[in-house]
């Protein structure tokens, strides 16, 4: 999220909108997300890693709330206690714009090395699938 804060600000300043879905910092999904990182042990999660993950989620929520304070009604923040297998950015989703997808890995360092995909053609059916899933996630999510 840190990498995108300036981009979000730039887009919002030009009347854009963002809608974000996160896992809640105190939910079960945050525990499972923390288990993805190297340094955990079989059957559990390293408490230091878990606290860092929860702090990262809280920092992201605060960044988004700050943007929301500046750009009223153009920033929507939701949380769903579900372990997502991918992170995604949807550009102009109502116009079938491109979707940038980053697969989350399990106990592998990722960052720039994580697998990333661009879905901008619906001939394979993947675009429709990701859009449908995103819509279902948001239906289940709660406002933050």
């Amino acid at each position: 999220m840190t990498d995108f804060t300036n981009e979000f600000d730039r887009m919002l300043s030009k009347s854009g909108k963002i809608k974000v879905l996160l896992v809640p910092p105190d939910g079960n999904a945050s525990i499972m997300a923390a288990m993805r990182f190297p340094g955990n042990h079989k059957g559990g999660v390293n408490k230091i890693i878990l606290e860092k993950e929860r702090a990262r989620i809280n920092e992201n929520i605060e960044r988004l709330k700050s943007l929301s304070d500046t750009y009223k009604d153009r920033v929507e923040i939701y949380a769903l206690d579900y372990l997502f297998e991918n992170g995604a950015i949807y550009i102009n989703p109502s116009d079938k714009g491109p979707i940038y997808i980053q697969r989350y890995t399990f106990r592998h360092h990722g960052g720039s090395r994580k697998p990333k995909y661009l879905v901008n053609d619906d001939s394979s059916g993947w675009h429709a699938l990701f859009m449908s899933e995103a819509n279902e996630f948001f239906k289940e999510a709660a406002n933050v």
Side-chain angles (χ1 to χ4, degrees), residues 1-143:
M1 189 76 68
T2 304
D3 296 341
F4 296 107
T5 303
N6 290 337
E7 185 63 29
F8 289 156
D9 188 57
R10 189 174 64 83
M11 185 185 67
L12 290 163
S13 71
K14 295 179 180 180
S15 300
K17 294 181 182 182
I18 63 171
K19 186 174 176 180
V20 180
L21 180 61
L22 305 164
V23 299
D26 57 348
N28 290 322
S30 68
I31 296 169
M32 291 183 281
M35 286 179 67
R36 290 178 170 152
F37 293 98
N40 288 295
H41 56 283
K42 185 176 181 178
V45 61
N46 180 306
K47 296 209 183 300
I48 294 170
I49 294 172
L50 175 58
E51 290 309 312
K52 285 182 180 180
E53 179 67 4
R54 288 180 166 168
R56 187 182 63 78
I57 294 167
N58 279 316
E59 287 169 12
N60 289 336
I61 290 170
E62 291 307 312
R63 277 189 190 98
L64 291 163
K65 284 183 177 181
S66 177
L67 287 171
S68 180
D69 290 344
T70 303
Y71 302 103
K72 310 265 188 258
D73 301 325
R74 289 191 276 145
V75 178
E76 296 179 54
I77 311 164
Y78 295 88
L80 180 62
D81 198 15
Y82 177 82
L83 184 64
F84 301 102
E85 65 182 58
N86 299 299
I89 298 174
Y90 296 73
I91 308 295
N92 297 322
S94 60
D95 296 329
K96 294 190 177 183
I99 305 171
Y100 299 91
I101 299 166
Q102 178 174 309
R103 183 182 180 283
Y104 294 132
T105 55
F106 186 74
R107 296 200 181 149
H108 286 268
H109 291 288
S112 63
R113 297 181 308 239
K114 286 183 182 177
K116 296 172 180 63
Y117 310 94
L118 172 63
V119 179
N120 61 1
D121 176 4
D122 202 27
S123 62
S124 65
W126 286 105
H127 193 282
L129 174 67
F130 283 114
M131 286 302 303
S132 177
E133 280 188 325
N135 289 330
E136 292 302 318
F137 288 142
F138 279 107
K139 284 181 190 176
E140 291 295 320
N143 285 80

